[in-house]
Amino acid sequence: MKKFIKIMAFGLLVCLTIGCFAGCQKPKTNYEKLCESVSYMQTGLYTANDEDFDVKITMTTQEALFIADGKADSQVDMSVLTIVPHDVANLSKTYEFVIEGTESSVTGTISKSRLGINLACNFEDLKNIGEPLTLTLKDGDKSYTFQLENKCANLTDGKGALEVAYNFYQEKIDTALNDNTFDRECYVKLLCQTNENAEDEYFWYVSFIKDKNDYWATIIDPTTNEVVSSRESAPQSK
């Protein structure tokens, strides 16, 4: 009987301890709640080029099939290798490639994309190789090696850009979150623009999307965190 009482007392103590920890957890901030509504977040960009090819590796965490419907479904890590040959005749070729990282490497083949304007290959996860360092393309006896440059190295990351956009639209977002009417998904992508000096400039595009016709969007300078442009679009009332 005493043994039974001791077991019951121990079980009660465990339950009380768990309840205490649960009660001590801080409530989520609205920004933390917003992070749960992310359906597309770009996490990396690596580029290289020579006289024959332009190379780009884009890394994201996103819905397996992105649909602008205001809902953030289950996420996957996705990477896309894109190569643009300067000679359009090379679009018809299939190349072998090796991406070397700080931890390991990945191999595969790359061929013309569905749109037919470049070569493309998708990976579900490229994180296991560590930091991507080089890309080697092979076309029979020909070999091309590229030193990959991390374009996000000195920029505010996607989560930081999302926080800037949240602060910009905070009144709208907080109101909707507080009364449980927030029905938008978050889309965060790094954009590239060539300036008048023929130099590439990068900006974060952050949008809060209800559907394809209803969104709040910002363009953010990733070095100053300034919102350089914004737009709100909503369906026109009939």
Side-chain angles (χ1 to χ4, degrees):
M1 186 67 178
K2 291 182 178 179
K3 183 177 181 181
F4 175 76
I5 293 173
K6 288 181 179 179
I7 293 173
M8 289 294 292
F10 177 74
L12 179 60
L13 178 61
V14 170
C15 290
L16 289 173
T17 302
I18 293 173
C20 180
F21 278 115
C24 291
Q25 287 182 347
K26 293 182 179 180
K28 293 181 179 178
T29 66
N30 279 344
Y31 170 69
E32 290 171 334
K33 294 177 183 178
L34 189 67
C35 290
E36 296 174 352
S37 296
V38 174
S39 59
Y40 184 101
M41 171 76 72
Q42 186 165 343
T43 57
L45 177 65
Y46 296 83
T47 68
N49 62 78
D50 64 9
E51 64 275 11
D52 297 305
F53 301 96
D54 293 326
V55 172
K56 179 171 66 174
I57 298 175
T58 304
M59 304 172 74
T60 64
T61 299
Q62 63 179 85
E63 291 177 316
L65 178 61
F66 175 77
I67 301 174
D69 57 1
K71 301 175 183 177
D73 295 324
S74 58
Q75 307 284 296
V76 295
D77 291 323
M78 184 71 71
S79 299
V80 181
L81 170 62
T82 305
I83 299 175
V84 179
H86 295 177
D87 184 349
V88 294
N90 290 330
L91 282 172
S92 61
K93 295 183 178 181
T94 296
Y95 294 87
E96 296 179 354
F97 68 83
V98 180
I99 302 174
E100 292 282 353
T102 52
E103 302 296 331
S104 61
S105 63
V106 63
T107 63
T109 59
I110 186 168
S111 56
K112 186 189 296 186
S113 66
R114 290 182 181 180
L115 295 177
I117 59 174
N118 54 31
L119 309 172
C121 179
N122 294 351
F123 307 87
E124 284 197 1
D125 189 0
L126 202 61
K127 291 182 178 179
N128 292 334
I129 72 168
E131 181 86 2
L133 299 176
T134 64
L135 167 75
T136 300
L137 283 181
K138 294 182 179 180
D139 175 22
D141 294 332
K142 292 183 179 180
S143 181
Y144 310 86
T145 298
F146 302 87
Q147 301 294 322
L148 297 168
E149 181 180 358
N150 182 359
K151 291 297 184 179
C152 295
N154 299 311
L155 305 180
T156 297
D157 64 9
K159 289 183 179 180
L162 177 62
E163 187 168 10
V164 172
Y166 161 67
N167 290 333
F168 187 81
Y169 285 116
Q170 184 170 1
E171 184 175 353
K172 286 175 175 286
I173 293 172
D174 282 355
T175 298
L177 285 172
N178 292 337
D179 61 17
N180 295 316
T181 60
F182 188 77
D183 55 357
R184 297 174 183 273
E185 57 190 310
C186 309
Y187 183 95
V188 185
K189 182 178 177 62
L190 194 63
L191 304 179
C192 180
Q193 173 181 291
T194 303
N195 62 24
E196 59 186 10
N197 298 319
E199 298 172 336
D200 288 341
E201 293 182 323
Y202 291 91
F203 298 90
W204 284 111
Y205 172 80
V206 183
S207 184
F208 305 104
I209 306 170
K210 184 172 183 178
D211 57 48
K212 64 180 181 180
N213 297 313
D214 188 346
Y215 57 86
W216 311 330
T218 58
I219 302 293
I220 298 167
D221 186 320
T223 58
T224 65
N225 289 338
E226 176 189 1
V227 176
V228 297
S229 179
S230 65
R231 180 178 180 182
E232 298 178 35
S233 179
Q236 298 296 318
S237 57
K238 295 182 180 180

